């Protein structure tokens, strides 16, 4: 039997419609929600991601500004730009598009952003709040996954959630969100022995490795809910980290494209609005 499709595109459209209503409400109070994005250099993938964020903001009635800095900019110049945005009361959300050119420290950049405007949720203050179960601004991809699970009525308390990948952007915050939601959580990495023994125990399997076909059908038990975070390009097409044949084993699964991806941008808008709403209060 084929898995139920967890449709991220449709769910993101719903979230974006709510965001548009939230933005409109703020405007009646004289507040224009505003996201500022810093883009360093000419990385084509980064330019595409930034354009899609701009388009999404426009669709929801959120102002967006892109600050473009040359590939050669220094750490001090980049941080000075962040300071300007931190100090601007008209800017609610700040994000620096990653990855940065190799001579720049993304850790220092993330720490320079005012945690109250850190709509990517990567600042140690925001990660710490998530870790102690008092989340404020939560990283967009894992947050979007929790919204997807809720939308499809997939309950978390008492469930065994297995996460493959432990990055700062996806795996780690995902694990914290699942712990906060009363799931039993296992996090795997490249040194995990017998990965399939663990993945087969999952009620919900979340995969973010950056490698096509990390998870194949024999690694998944019948009835598992599978969330595929991966975005890979293979033979000119987009594919995830999970073999598409897993659709025949899982009870529900996100497609790639059209699964987790659209939720990430939707949550970025939602986080920006949360900051603007908090300021309005
Ligand atoms: P990273 O490369 O930062 O992290 C990958 C993680 O996966 C690491 O922790 C690594 O382990 C682990 N890993 C890799 N291979 C295996 C394996 N065979 N078995 C077990 N663990 C493994 O990637 P990201 O988290 O940034 O991204 C992961 C994927 O998600 C990418 O395809 C990326 O494009 C996609 N992505 C999609 C987003 C979306 O909006 N849909 C947003 C962000 C990312 P170790 O720590 O030991 O190296």
């Amino acid at each position: 039997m084929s898995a139920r499709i967890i449709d991220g595109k449709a769910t993101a459209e719903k979230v974006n419609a709510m965001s548009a209503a939230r933005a409109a409400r703020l405007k009646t109070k004289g507040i224009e929600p505003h996201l500022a994005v810093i883009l360093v250099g000419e990385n084509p993938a980064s330019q595409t991601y930034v354009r899609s964020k701009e388009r999404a903001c426009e669709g929801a009635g959120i102002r967006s500004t892109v600050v473009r800095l040359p590939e050669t900019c220094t750490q001090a110049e980049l941080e000075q730009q962040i300071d300007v945005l931190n100090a601007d009361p008209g800017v609610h959300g700040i994000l620096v598009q990653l990855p940065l050119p190799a001579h720049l420290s993304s850790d220092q950049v993330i720490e320079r952003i005012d945690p109250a405007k850190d709509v990517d949720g990567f600042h140690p203050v925001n990660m710490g709040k998530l870790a102690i179960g008092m989340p404020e601004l939560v990283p967009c991809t894992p947050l979007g996954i929790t919204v997807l699970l809720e939308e499809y009525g997939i309950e978390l308390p008492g469930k065994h959630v297995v996460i493959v990948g432990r990055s700062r952007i996806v795996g780690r915050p995902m694990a914290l969100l699942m712990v906060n939601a009363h799931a039993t959580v296992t996090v795997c990495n490249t040194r995990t022995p017998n990965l399939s023994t663990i993945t087969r125990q999952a009620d919900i399997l979340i995969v973010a490795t950056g490698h096509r076909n990390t998870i194949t059908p024999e690694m998944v038990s019948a009835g598992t809910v599978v969330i595929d975070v991966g975005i890979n390009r293979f033979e000119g097409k987009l594919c995830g980290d999970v073999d598409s044949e897993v659709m025949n084993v899982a009870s529900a699964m996100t497609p790639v494209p059209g699964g987790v991806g659209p939720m990430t941008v939707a949550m970025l808008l939602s986080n920006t609005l949360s900051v603007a709403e908090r300021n309005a209060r």
Side-chain angles (χ1 to χ4, degrees), residues 127-253:
M127 283 293 214
K129 287 183 175 170
L130 179 60
I132 60 169
M134 298 178 70
E136 277 186 25
L137 289 170
V138 174
C140 300
T141 301
L143 183 60
I145 292 170
T146 60
V147 172
L148 268 183
L149 293 172
E150 198 183 326
E151 174 73 12
Y152 280 80
I154 297 158
E155 303 221 337
L156 295 167
K159 294 287 169 59
H160 185 193
V161 178
V162 174
I163 300 166
V164 187
R166 57 174 166 179
S167 73
R168 190 158 153 182
I169 293 172
V170 188
R172 266 168 221 260
M174 190 78 245
L176 294 168
L177 280 166
M178 294 293 106
V179 168
N180 292 348
H182 314 291
T184 303
V185 183
T186 304
V187 184
C188 305
N189 58 66
T190 50
R191 301 184 195 195
T192 302
N194 304 321
L195 182 63
S196 63
T197 312
I198 299 168
T199 55
R200 286 188 63 83
Q201 292 170 26
D203 296 310
I204 299 164
L205 177 62
I206 302 175
V207 187
T209 61
H211 300 292
R212 188 176 75 88
N213 291 349
T214 304
I215 302 295
T216 50
E218 63 279 6
M219 299 171 79
V220 181
S221 292
T224 308
V225 172
V226 178
I227 305 292
D228 186 355
V229 185
I231 302 177
N232 307 296
R233 209 165 263 286
F234 181 68
E235 293 180 344
K237 280 190 176 160
L238 284 186
C239 63
D241 294 344
V242 177
D243 183 341
S244 56
E245 292 294 316
V246 170
M247 278 279 180
N248 299 321
V249 185
S251 62
M253 183 163 155

Side-chain angles (χ1 to χ4, degrees), residues 42-55:
E42 309 280 330
N43 180 327
S46 294
Q47 292 191 17
T48 305
Y49 286 131
V50 168
R51 263 198 304 276
S52 76
K53 288 166 188 173
E54 279 182 289
R55 268 199 305 272

Side-chain angles (χ1 to χ4, degrees), residues 16 21 45 72 77 108 123 151 199 233 254 280:
N16 288 339
T72 51
E77 284 163 345
Q108 281 176 36
H123 193 287
E151 174 73 12
T199 55
R233 209 165 263 286
T254 53

Side-chain angles (χ1 to χ4, degrees), residues 6-16 140-149 151 254 258-270:
I6 299 178
D7 188 340
K9 193 163 173 277
T11 310
E13 279 167 12
K14 266 188 171 177
V15 174
N16 288 339
C140 300
T141 301
L143 183 60
I145 292 170
T146 60
V147 172
L148 268 183
L149 293 172
E151 174 73 12
T254 53
V260 174
M263 293 303 293
T264 298
V265 181
M267 299 330 291
L268 176 66
L269 306 190
S270 177

